[in-house]
């Protein structure tokens, strides 16, 4: 049987202990909740930003990724990697987006950019351009697509003065014979280091045409001149490059009689 002293102590202290525990539990519940912080071995809290994936280029404003200066947008070697043409400010006249990972040009990329006069997309990974991608650029004068992966060309703006597609994979079946014929202001045409087997029709406005390092094996009297007349002189043409083709130029003596100077190429 429990002694009287123990019974009295228990009856007095037990309610006090229970009351104190209940009070502590209540006070703990009232404390504001805080996020649990994980501390690595060095004892410092980890930066929560490092646990999140870096934002992609298309998720950031264009003028945060690029440099925008009074109508010119410079998006060169962008980090994080740029794989598509960014949304451009409405007043953009000059776009330089070289050294990126752009793979495709879509019709919507320049749909509302009638102010564009120059586009440089050199050294990307462009393998496809939708046919209407440049059709709504009435004032575009210079288009550079050098060092990409193109096998064919889209319809080009009629006011182009310079077109550069050097170092691509362009094939004759991907470049219409009349692709440049209607470009009546075109003065500089660069198609070197491709896989062309024929020379497309060339507008009268051309001053320089580079067709070196292709697979062109034959030309005709109509390629540069007009074979039915010896009085025709191609007054604008200053430079023609045909070197690096499987073509012996000395076998075509009447093909250059309208030019100021002979093309650069193999004659022997």
């Amino acid at each position: 049987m429990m002694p009287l002293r123990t019974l009295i102590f228990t009856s007095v202290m037990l309610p006090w202990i229970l009351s104190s525990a209940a009070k502590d539990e209540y006070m703990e519940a009232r404390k504001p909740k805080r996020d649990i912080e994980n501390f690595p071995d060095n004892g410092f809290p980890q930066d929560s930003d490092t646990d999140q994936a870096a934002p992609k280029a298309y998720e950031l404003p264009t003028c945060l990724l690029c440099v925008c200066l009074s109508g010119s947008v410079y998006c060169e070697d962008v980090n994080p990697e740029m794989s598509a043409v960014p949304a451009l400010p409405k007043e953009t006249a000059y776009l330089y987006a070289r050294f990126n990972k752009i793979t495709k040009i879509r019709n919507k990329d320049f749909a509302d950019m009638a102010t564009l006069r120059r586009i440089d997309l050199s050294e990307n990974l462009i393998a496809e351009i939708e046919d209407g991608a440049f059709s709504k650029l009435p004032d575009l004068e210079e288009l550079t697509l050098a060092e990409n992966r193109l096998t064919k060309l889209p319809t080009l703006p009629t006011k182009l003065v310079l077109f550069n597609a050097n170092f691509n994979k362009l094939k004759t079946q991907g470049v219409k014979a009349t692709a440049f014929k209607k470009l009546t202001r075109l003065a500089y045409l660069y198609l070197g280091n491709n896989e062309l087997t024929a020379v497309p029709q060339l507008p009268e406005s051309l001053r320089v045409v580079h067709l070196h390092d292709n697979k062109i094996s034959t030309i005709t009297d109509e390629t540069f001149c007009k074979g039915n007349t010896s009085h025709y002189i191609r007054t604008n043409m200053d430079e023609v490059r045909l070197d690096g083709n499987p073509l012996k130029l000395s076998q075509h003596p009447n093909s250059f009689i309208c030019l100021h100077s002979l093309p650069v190429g193999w004659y022997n």
Side-chain angles (χ1 to χ4, degrees), residues 197-216:
T197 57
V199 179
Q201 295 179 32
L202 305 174
E204 292 288 330
S205 55
L206 269 185
R207 294 180 58 188
V208 174
V209 57
H210 286 186
L211 294 159
H212 57 282
D213 294 300
N214 276 276
K215 297 180 179 180
I216 300 168

Side-chain angles (χ1 to χ4, degrees), residues 92-231:
T92 303
Y94 305 97
L95 170 64
Y96 304 91
R98 301 178 295 181
F99 319 118
N100 290 296
K101 298 290 181 67
I102 299 171
T103 58
K104 181 179 179 180
I105 307 300
R106 303 161 296 180
N107 288 343
K108 66 179 182 179
D109 288 337
F110 302 114
D112 300 315
M113 299 304 304
T115 55
L116 274 169
R117 296 180 62 187
R118 180 185 299 158
I119 297 174
D120 190 341
L121 295 166
S122 302
E123 295 193 49
N124 277 276
L125 303 174
I126 302 169
E128 181 184 355
I129 301 177
E130 294 182 359
D131 195 52
F134 304 119
S135 61
K136 296 183 180 179
L137 301 177
D139 295 325
L140 191 68
E141 297 178 344
E142 297 183 18
L143 177 58
T144 301
L145 301 169
E147 298 188 58
N148 279 283
R149 300 179 178 181
L150 293 170
T151 58
K152 62 180 182 178
L153 294 179
T155 302
L156 298 172
T158 57
K159 290 187 179 180
L160 277 184
V161 174
L162 179 148
F163 180 71
N164 186 343
N166 282 343
F167 290 97
N168 275 274
K169 298 180 180 181
L170 292 174
K171 302 179 185 298
T172 295
Q173 57 267 35
V175 180
K176 295 179 181 179
T178 58
F180 308 104
K181 188 65 175 177
K182 295 181 179 179
L183 307 188
T184 57
R185 297 179 58 187
L186 189 66
Y188 304 92
L189 177 61
Y190 302 102
L191 297 173
N193 294 91
N194 280 283
E195 299 177 17
L196 298 174
T197 57
V199 179
Q201 295 179 32
L202 305 174
E204 292 288 330
S205 55
L206 269 185
R207 294 180 58 188
V208 174
V209 57
H210 286 186
L211 294 159
H212 57 282
D213 294 300
N214 276 276
K215 297 180 179 180
I216 300 168
S217 59
T218 185
I219 55 175
T220 71
D221 295 350
E222 302 284 341
T223 301
F224 299 99
C225 303
K226 295 180 180 179
N228 58 350
T229 177
S230 59
H231 302 289

Side-chain angles (χ1 to χ4, degrees), residues 248-263:
K248 192 173 182 180
L249 299 181
S250 60
Q251 295 178 348
H252 306 276
N254 296 324
S255 297
F256 318 117
I257 59 174
C258 66
L259 302 179
H260 292 298
S261 59
L262 291 175

